[in-house]
Amino acid sequence: MASTHGIHTIDTGFVRPQFDAAYLVVENDRGAFIDCGTNFAVPRMLAALDEAGIAAAAVDWLILTHVHLDHAGGAGELIARLPNAQLVVHPRGARHMIDPSVLWAGASAVYGEAVMEQTYGRLRPIPAERVIEAPDGHVVELAGRPLLCIDTPGHAKHHLTVYDERANVCFTGDVFGLSYRDFDTANGPFILPTTSPVQFDPPALHASIERLVALKPDAMYLTHYGRVESVERLAADLHAQIDAMVDLARAAHGKPDRHAVLMESLTDLYATRAAAHGWRHGRDALRQLLGMDIELNAQGLEVWLDR
């Protein structure tokens, strides 16, 4: 867990190694977590404090990019172990952290109770007085280090990005796509957009990406996964693929096997781009690594089509 500007990358252990990251930012012996993974990540989050040499009582903030459970499922359990920390979340996400029953019910309807328990663990409510809503432009002060919260819809309406001016980097949650280290080549990181099953909004996602690029950050810290540089090149790749995915969705619309058609066409899109990027492991290996993401992207595009 190497640190740059006091930024520590934590592998939450969700799904597979180097799939789901959370971050710890340390400034003058005070800490802020950005995202936290599921309940099962809590021991790893606390271990990261030990490794960074700070106590749980020295953590002032847990900032969530959004409330999807791979980012925020463990927030209640983690906050309960951080006596002085407050939770910072987009205004649209706050109620789901105070009372996670709707969040749980929605996800359970899709995955089933048993899978939810096994994958995420029960969601623990957070006392309302420990929850701070962060509208666009809200600044979190970490021992004199400003962390700017930027409203970045497109993946979800309740999504924010954290801009750390000191390090000149953004913590992007899911709005700046997915870039797994498995796909790195001599050409650098490979990236693809991530929709969400209910709130994908292509124009908003384009605008959010542009807004972040305009900050001219040195790097982006993605939840999936880790630090990536070459920001302008990656942004161009994201823009091109969002447009391509929208075209594929429109082409599949009205077909009786729409979902299957989209799954195949998305796989083809990413496999072709990965090969052009110098990734030599083939379509089946790509499907193995990106299967869950392709499924979610297909679902997200279908909900967008139907809307």
Side-chain angles (χ1 to χ4, degrees):
M1 192 177 72
S3 158
T4 307
H5 292 286
I7 297 168
H8 305 259
T9 301
I10 305 158
D11 188 330
T12 72
F14 186 64
V15 179
R16 65 172 185 263
Q18 295 199 317
F19 179 86
D20 189 70
Y23 298 98
L24 170 65
V25 183
V26 179
E27 181 74 15
N28 292 325
D29 298 321
R30 306 301 297 180
F33 283 120
I34 300 174
D35 285 342
C36 61
T38 70
N39 282 338
F40 304 115
V42 171
R44 291 172 180 242
M45 304 296 284
L46 299 177
L49 294 178
D50 292 341
E51 201 172 316
I54 68 168
V59 178
D60 295 326
W61 310 103
L62 167 55
I63 308 171
L64 299 178
T65 59
H66 58 307
V67 303
H68 291 166
L69 298 182
D70 51 331
H71 301 256
E77 288 297 336
L78 182 59
I79 279 282
R81 289 163 174 76
L82 304 173
N84 299 315
Q86 289 182 289
L87 183 90
V88 179
V89 63
H90 192 286
R92 287 175 176 267
R95 64 190 175 94
H96 294 300
M97 293 290 97
I98 296 164
D99 176 8
S101 59
V102 173
L103 204 59
W104 180 267
S108 297
V110 178
Y111 302 111
E113 259 325 282
V115 171
M116 288 292 293
E117 294 271 6
Q118 190 183 354
T119 308
Y120 302 108
R122 277 275 163 193
L123 305 184
R124 181 168 176 165
I126 297 172
E129 63 273 14
R130 296 188 69 181
V131 176
I132 292 176
E133 296 186 9
D136 187 47
H138 179 87
V139 176
V140 174
E141 285 287 351
L142 175 64
R145 178 174 177 169
L147 302 172
L148 173 67
C149 298
I150 303 170
D151 185 24
T152 45
H155 172 79
K157 289 179 180 175
H158 63 276
H159 196 294
L160 61 81
T161 294
V162 179
Y163 175 58
D164 176 358
E165 188 180 1
R166 171 79 47 86
N168 192 32
V169 299
C170 294
F171 297 89
T172 61
D174 284 345
V175 82
F176 203 77
L178 313 166
S179 179
Y180 300 120
R181 304 286 60 80
D182 313 74
F183 289 94
D184 289 353
T185 70
N187 295 315
F190 175 72
I191 204 160
L192 63 145
T194 171
T195 75
S196 65
V198 292
Q199 294 182 341
F200 176 55
D201 181 340
L205 189 52
H206 280 304
S208 291
I209 292 166
E210 280 303 292
R211 191 168 175 200
L212 298 182
V213 172
L215 295 168
K216 299 203 177 323
D218 293 334
M220 303 300 207
Y221 283 88
L222 282 54
T223 300
H224 312 286
Y225 174 93
R227 178 185 170 105
V228 294
E229 299 175 6
S230 312
V231 169
E232 295 207 355
R233 192 264 294 173
L234 294 177
D237 289 349
L238 288 170
H239 286 308
Q241 288 176 92
I242 293 163
D243 291 340
M245 286 161 60
V246 164
D247 289 345
L248 292 176
R250 290 200 168 112
H253 194 46
K255 296 191 174 170
D257 54 348
R258 180 177 75 175
H259 185 74
V261 169
L262 254 179
M263 288 288 289
E264 285 306 304
S265 62
L266 288 172
T267 303
D268 289 342
L269 171 68
Y270 306 139
T272 301
R273 291 188 67 98
H277 183 68
W279 196 71
R280 296 285 171 258
H281 300 280
R283 195 176 190 275
D284 289 345
L286 175 129
R287 190 71 176 259
Q288 198 73 38
L289 288 165
L290 292 181
M292 179 196 294
D293 297 308
I294 294 168
E295 172 66 39
L296 288 172
N297 278 356
Q299 288 180 25
L301 287 164
E302 289 182 278
V303 172
W304 169 77
L305 276 173
D306 292 338
R307 195 169 62 231

